[in-house]
Amino acid sequence: MTVRRMNAMALLTGISLILFVIEMQVPPPLPVPGVKLGLANVVTVYAVCRFRPGEALMILLARIFLAAVFAGQAASLLYSLTGGLFCLAGMFCLKRFLSPSRLWLCSLIGAVLHNTGQLTAASLLIGTDSVFAYFPLLALTGAAAGLFTGLLAQQMLRRRLYVSREGMG
């Protein structure tokens, strides 16, 4: 891994943390526990397209760990970690079958997988499957948030590709 690549990864991790902190200051879009826009995930979706799986994983893990530290919510670490790993694994599998113009779809499915991972962690911690009754609502709101973050990441990717074609990046 080159120094330039590591710098890009560090910069993206920082951007995702800034987005996380900004989102913490904004009231949730719906008064439902666990529902949020997930702006920091724009960086994760972008990283899936621009970096190798191990590199994207490093960005995700650094963001999840540091976000838990910044938020002072160590309990959320397990939920975020499980959801993030489900999401990242699913998006890398889908990436092989979808073109970059379908990044929004990859993100949408990744968001639903994120919710699945979070509920799986909750089920294992609580010891009951009753938390999965919450899945339809989380899947619906997660799909909407995933669509939004996917479209943003797709715009980032388009602009980056455009700059590269012009020989400036």
Side-chain angles (χ1 to χ4, degrees):
M1 178 181 328
T2 66
V3 171
R4 183 179 178 137
R5 200 155 179 88
M6 282 196 315
N7 283 341
M9 291 168 55
L11 183 62
L12 286 174
T13 301
I15 291 169
S16 69
L17 286 169
I18 290 168
L19 291 171
F20 173 81
V21 170
I22 289 171
E23 189 171 14
M24 282 180 28
Q25 306 306 312
V26 177
L30 296 174
V32 179
V35 173
K36 64 180 202 167
L37 199 49
L39 291 176
N41 294 324
V42 172
V43 173
T44 304
V45 176
Y46 177 81
V48 165
C49 281
R50 299 295 296 174
F51 292 92
R52 293 182 211 109
E55 294 167 338
L57 177 63
M58 283 192 276
I59 293 169
L60 176 73
L61 293 177
R63 192 242 317 162
I64 288 172
F65 176 74
L66 292 171
V69 170
F70 288 166
Q73 299 173 346
S76 70
L77 184 63
L78 180 64
Y79 297 110
S80 295
L81 184 61
T82 308
L85 292 175
F86 271 50
C87 175
L88 194 64
M91 285 196 301
F92 269 110
C93 289
L94 287 169
K95 180 185 166 194
R96 291 190 280 166
F97 304 107
L98 297 174
S99 69
S101 66
R102 299 284 186 250
L103 183 58
W104 61 270
L105 181 58
C106 189
S107 177
L108 186 151
I109 293 169
V112 174
L113 289 171
H114 188 277
N115 294 137
T116 305
Q118 288 179 315
L119 289 176
T120 300
S123 175
L124 293 172
L125 281 176
I126 297 170
T128 179
D129 291 341
S130 63
V131 295
F132 285 101
Y134 196 41
F135 182 74
L137 178 61
L138 279 183
L140 182 63
T141 58
L147 174 62
F148 178 72
T149 57
L151 290 171
L152 287 177
Q154 195 164 325
Q155 271 303 111
M156 285 175 58
L157 189 63
R158 270 195 202 124
R159 292 188 186 277
R160 171 72 174 119
L161 291 174
Y162 176 75
V163 170
S164 292
R165 280 195 299 254
E166 294 298 314
M168 292 184 234

